[in-house]
Amino acid sequence: MDRDKKNYIDLDVWKGARVLSKEVYLASSQFPSEEKFGLTSQIRRAVVSIPSNIAEGCGRNYPKDNIQFFYIARGSIYEVETQLYLAFDLDFISETYLSVLLEKLETTRKLLNGFIKYYQTLVK
């Protein structure tokens, strides 16, 4: 591996996003089968977008480019949050499971916000 490049796989924010992705995949596997092309597909695409955009942002050469992908990842966090609430509203997940997933989501959001603030100092 080229050590001069940012190694995103060592980042806590990326690792947390992977854990979140796995948890949401496991939760959505319990959704009704008729949701396969509905909420299940949508929430999975959104949650995978989080670590994917963090990685893509790290692969960019300029801080402004990095930040743009981190913003996309942050937008996906809000999308997943909304979809988790919808899953709860539709009785696809319990309130307890919703709380666990929202806690993991919040941890990822905080890490990502800190990461964005760090990159913003590079742009100034």
Side-chain angles (χ1 to χ4, degrees), residues 7-101:
N7 197 352
Y8 67 90
I9 63 173
D10 293 330
L11 298 171
D12 288 339
V13 66
W14 183 78
K15 291 175 185 178
R18 282 182 57 209
V19 169
L20 177 65
S21 295
K22 180 180 177 181
E23 291 294 325
V24 169
Y25 256 78
L26 292 172
S28 64
S29 69
Q30 303 302 312
F31 292 3
S33 59
E34 63 266 16
E35 284 299 319
K36 182 177 180 183
F37 299 108
L39 188 57
T40 303
S41 176
Q42 186 67 30
I43 199 169
R44 286 178 173 187
R45 280 195 307 270
V47 80
V48 166
S49 174
I50 301 166
S52 298
N53 278 293
I54 293 167
E56 186 165 357
C58 287
R60 297 297 170 143
N61 289 325
Y62 302 101
K64 284 186 180 182
D65 291 341
N66 302 117
I67 292 169
Q68 183 59 36
F69 283 93
F70 303 151
Y71 283 151
I72 293 168
R74 189 168 65 185
S76 294
I77 287 173
Y78 285 94
E79 187 177 356
V80 170
E81 182 176 43
T82 297
Q83 293 160 352
L84 289 172
Y85 278 111
L86 290 171
F88 169 72
D89 292 344
L90 294 165
D91 293 323
F92 297 166
I93 58 174
S94 69
E95 187 171 5
T96 302
Y97 204 11
L98 173 65
S99 295
V100 168
L101 292 170

